[in-house]
Amino acid sequence: MLLRTTLILLFVTFAANAEVKLTETDILGTWQIDSESNNSDGSHAKKLSSTWTFRNDGTMEGMSTDSDINARSSEIRAIVQYSVEDGKIIKQTVPGRSKFETCTAVEKNAQKMTLECNNVYFFMTKK
């Protein structure tokens, strides 16, 4: 019985972290980043006020707003290059730089997506 329970838990854990192959069609449009976490289950998540807009010209516009009165700027906007290769998003880390990062979808349905980018999980909703 213990072995069976252990195998079931291993299977569920593996299935929860299974990779979802994306196409460009899957990601086009604007995604609200609801939260980010270092944990795949979303525990200890940080709420964000950010959007990522994937365009069919290979650019992604990121926009974040900050309501902190001590923030240097209330809005930050950046446009970076991206592509979808082997079901993963490859995107610039900083505009104008040649460094890219790979983001893997670990969950995706019609309106929700969880991306892992360099061990940070982004929990997103399609707008």
Side-chain angles (χ1 to χ4, degrees):
M1 181 69 168
L2 180 59
L3 179 60
R4 180 176 175 218
T5 303
T6 303
L7 289 174
I8 290 171
L9 286 174
L10 285 173
F11 176 74
V12 169
T13 301
F14 178 74
N17 292 323
E19 182 179 309
V20 177
K21 298 286 187 185
L22 296 173
T23 66
E24 189 170 14
T25 303
D26 291 331
I27 64 170
L28 286 177
T30 301
W31 292 85
Q32 173 70 43
I33 301 176
D34 302 316
S35 62
E36 75 173 47
S37 175
N38 291 330
N39 305 309
S40 62
D41 65 359
S43 59
H44 306 290
K46 194 170 36 167
K47 297 287 183 202
L48 296 179
S49 183
S50 300
T51 58
W52 288 359
T53 302
F54 292 92
R55 299 182 179 134
N56 60 5
D57 66 356
T59 62
M60 182 198 85
E61 179 179 19
M63 190 176 81
S64 294
T65 56
D66 192 340
S67 59
D68 183 353
I69 59 170
N70 297 316
R72 288 184 181 193
S73 176
S74 62
E75 183 177 282
I76 297 173
R77 186 178 297 229
I79 297 176
V80 297
Q81 300 295 311
Y82 84 92
S83 62
V84 177
E85 299 174 19
D86 297 323
K88 299 176 184 186
I89 300 169
I90 312 296
K91 68 177 193 65
Q92 276 180 307
T93 56
V94 178
R97 300 254 173 103
S98 59
K99 184 175 180 184
F100 284 76
E101 69 180 344
T102 300
C103 298
T104 303
V106 293
E107 185 177 336
K108 169 81 173 79
N109 65 37
Q111 299 300 314
K112 297 278 187 180
M113 178 167 59
T114 303
L115 285 181
E116 179 195 6
C117 304
N118 292 342
N119 299 315
V120 175
Y121 294 85
F122 295 96
F123 300 87
M124 311 168 87
T125 304
K126 183 97 181 243
K127 290 183 93 178

